[in-house]
Coordinates of all heavy atoms in Angstrom, one line a residue:
R78 N 154.9 141.1 11.4 CA 153.6 141.7 11.5 C 152.6 140.5 12.0 O 151.8 140.8 12.9 CB 153.1 142.2 10.2 CG 151.8 142.9 10.2 CD 151.4 143.4 8.9 NE 151.7 142.6 7.7 CZ 150.9 141.5 7.3 NH1 150.0 141.1 8.1 NH2 151.3 140.8 6.3
Q79 N 152.8 139.3 11.4 CA 151.8 138.2 11.8 C 152.1 137.9 13.3 O 151.1 137.5 14.0 CB 152.1 137.0 10.9 CG 151.4 137.1 9.6 CD 151.7 135.8 8.8 OE1 152.7 135.6 8.2 NE2 150.8 134.9 8.9
L80 N 153.3 137.8 13.7 CA 153.5 137.4 15.1 C 153.5 138.5 16.1 O 153.7 138.3 17.3 CB 154.9 136.7 15.1 CG 155.1 135.4 14.3 CD1 156.4 134.8 14.5 CD2 154.0 134.4 14.7
A81 N 153.4 139.8 15.6 CA 153.4 141.0 16.4 C 154.6 141.1 17.3 O 154.6 141.4 18.5 CB 152.2 141.0 17.3
I82 N 155.8 140.9 16.6 CA 157.1 141.2 17.2 C 157.9 142.0 16.3 O 157.5 142.2 15.1 CB 157.8 139.8 17.5 CG1 158.0 138.9 16.3 CG2 157.0 139.1 18.6 CD1 158.8 137.7 16.6
T83 N 159.1 142.5 16.7 CA 159.9 143.3 15.9 C 160.6 142.6 14.7 O 160.9 141.4 14.9 CB 161.0 144.0 16.7 OG1 161.9 143.0 17.2 CG2 160.4 144.8 17.9
P84 N 160.8 143.2 13.6 CA 161.6 142.6 12.5 C 163.0 142.1 13.0 O 163.5 141.1 12.6 CB 161.7 143.7 11.5 CG 160.5 144.5 11.7 CD 160.3 144.5 13.2
G85 N 163.6 142.9 14.0 CA 164.9 142.5 14.5 C 164.8 141.2 15.2 O 165.7 140.3 15.1
A86 N 163.7 140.9 15.9 CA 163.6 139.6 16.7 C 163.4 138.5 15.7 O 163.9 137.4 15.8 CB 162.4 139.7 17.6
V87 N 162.6 138.7 14.6 CA 162.4 137.7 13.5 C 163.7 137.5 12.9 O 164.1 136.3 12.6 CB 161.4 138.1 12.5 CG1 161.3 137.1 11.4 CG2 160.0 138.3 13.2
S88 N 164.5 138.5 12.6 CA 165.8 138.3 11.9 C 166.7 137.5 12.7 O 167.4 136.6 12.1 CB 166.5 139.7 11.6 OG 165.8 140.4 10.6
Q89 N 166.8 137.7 14.0 CA 167.6 136.9 14.8 C 167.2 135.4 14.8 O 168.0 134.5 14.7 CB 167.6 137.3 16.3 CG 168.4 138.6 16.5 CD 168.4 139.1 17.9 OE1 167.5 138.7 18.7 NE2 169.3 139.9 18.3
A90 N 165.9 135.2 14.9 CA 165.4 133.8 14.8 C 165.7 133.2 13.5 O 166.2 132.0 13.4 CB 163.9 133.8 15.0
V91 N 165.5 134.0 12.4 CA 165.8 133.4 11.1 C 167.3 133.1 10.9 O 167.6 132.1 10.3 CB 165.3 134.4 10.0 CG1 165.8 134.1 8.6 CG2 163.8 134.4 10.0
D92 N 168.2 134.0 11.4 CA 169.6 133.8 11.3 C 169.9 132.4 11.9 O 170.7 131.6 11.3 CB 170.4 134.9 12.0 CG 170.4 136.2 11.3 OD1 170.0 136.2 10.1 OD2 170.7 137.2 11.9
K93 N 169.4 132.1 13.1 CA 169.7 130.9 13.7 C 169.1 129.7 12.9 O 169.7 128.6 12.8 CB 169.1 130.8 15.2 CG 169.4 129.5 15.8 CD 169.5 129.6 17.3 CE 169.7 128.3 18.0 NZ 170.3 127.2 17.4
M94 N 167.9 129.9 12.4 CA 167.2 128.9 11.6 C 168.0 128.6 10.3 O 168.1 127.4 9.9 CB 165.8 129.2 11.4 CG 165.0 129.2 12.6 SD 163.3 129.9 12.4 CE 162.5 128.5 11.6
V95 N 168.6 129.6 9.7 CA 169.4 129.4 8.5 C 170.7 128.6 8.9 O 171.0 127.6 8.2 CB 169.8 130.7 7.8 CG1 170.9 130.6 6.8 CG2 168.6 131.4 7.2
K96 N 171.3 129.0 10.0 CA 172.4 128.3 10.4 C 172.2 126.8 10.8 O 173.0 126.0 10.4 CB 173.0 129.0 11.7 CG 174.3 128.4 12.2 CD 174.7 129.1 13.5 CE 175.8 128.4 14.2 NZ 176.1 129.0 15.5
D97 N 171.0 126.6 11.3 CA 170.6 125.1 11.6 C 170.0 124.4 10.5 O 169.6 123.2 10.6 CB 169.5 125.2 12.8 CG 170.1 125.7 14.1 OD1 171.4 125.7 14.2 OD2 169.3 126.0 15.0
G98 N 169.9 125.1 9.3 CA 169.4 124.4 8.1 C 167.9 124.3 8.0 O 167.4 123.5 7.2
M99 N 167.1 125.1 8.8 CA 165.7 124.9 8.8 C 165.0 125.8 7.6 O 163.9 125.4 7.2 CB 165.1 125.3 10.1 CG 165.5 124.4 11.2 SD 164.6 125.1 12.8 CE 165.7 124.4 14.0
V100 N 165.6 126.9 7.4 CA 165.1 127.8 6.4 C 166.2 128.3 5.4 O 167.4 128.1 5.7 CB 164.4 129.0 7.0 CG1 163.2 128.7 7.9 CG2 165.3 129.9 7.8
D101 N 165.7 128.7 4.3 CA 166.6 129.3 3.2 C 166.2 130.7 3.0 O 165.1 131.1 3.1 CB 166.5 128.5 2.0 CG 166.9 127.1 2.1 OD1 168.0 126.8 2.7 OD2 166.2 126.2 1.5
R102 N 167.2 131.5 2.7 CA 167.0 132.9 2.2 C 167.0 132.9 0.8 O 167.9 132.4 0.1 CB 168.1 133.8 2.8 CG 168.0 134.2 4.2 CD 168.9 135.4 4.5 NE 168.7 135.8 5.9 CZ 169.4 135.4 6.9 NH1 170.4 134.5 6.8 NH2 169.1 135.9 8.2
I103 N 166.1 133.6 0.1 CA 166.0 133.7 -1.3 C 166.1 135.1 -1.7 O 165.2 135.9 -1.4 CB 164.6 133.1 -1.8 CG1 164.5 131.6 -1.3 CG2 164.5 133.2 -3.3 CD1 163.1 131.1 -1.4
V104 N 167.1 135.4 -2.4 CA 167.3 136.8 -2.9 C 166.6 137.0 -4.2 O 166.7 136.1 -5.2 CB 168.9 137.1 -3.0 CG1 169.1 138.5 -3.6 CG2 169.6 136.9 -1.7
S105 N 165.9 138.1 -4.3 CA 165.1 138.3 -5.6 C 166.1 138.6 -6.7 O 167.1 139.2 -6.6 CB 164.3 139.6 -5.3 OG 163.7 140.1 -6.6
D106 N 165.7 138.1 -7.9 CA 166.4 138.3 -9.2 C 166.4 139.8 -9.6 O 167.3 140.2 -10.2 CB 165.9 137.4 -10.3 CG 166.1 135.9 -10.0 OD1 167.1 135.6 -9.2 OD2 165.4 135.1 -10.5
T107 N 165.3 140.4 -9.2 CA 165.1 141.8 -9.8 C 165.5 142.9 -8.7 O 165.9 144.0 -9.2 CB 163.6 142.0 -10.1 OG1 162.8 141.7 -8.9 CG2 163.2 141.2 -11.3

Side-chain angles (χ1 to χ4, degrees):
R78 185 179 40 76
Q79 279 183 276
L80 298 180
I82 59 177
T83 66
V87 174
S88 288
Q89 285 182 340
V91 166
D92 287 346
K93 176 151 181 28
M94 292 172 78
V95 167
K96 183 180 172 192
D97 293 343
M99 294 182 206
V100 298
D101 297 315
R102 283 193 174 94
I103 303 165
V104 179
S105 169
D106 293 335
T107 56

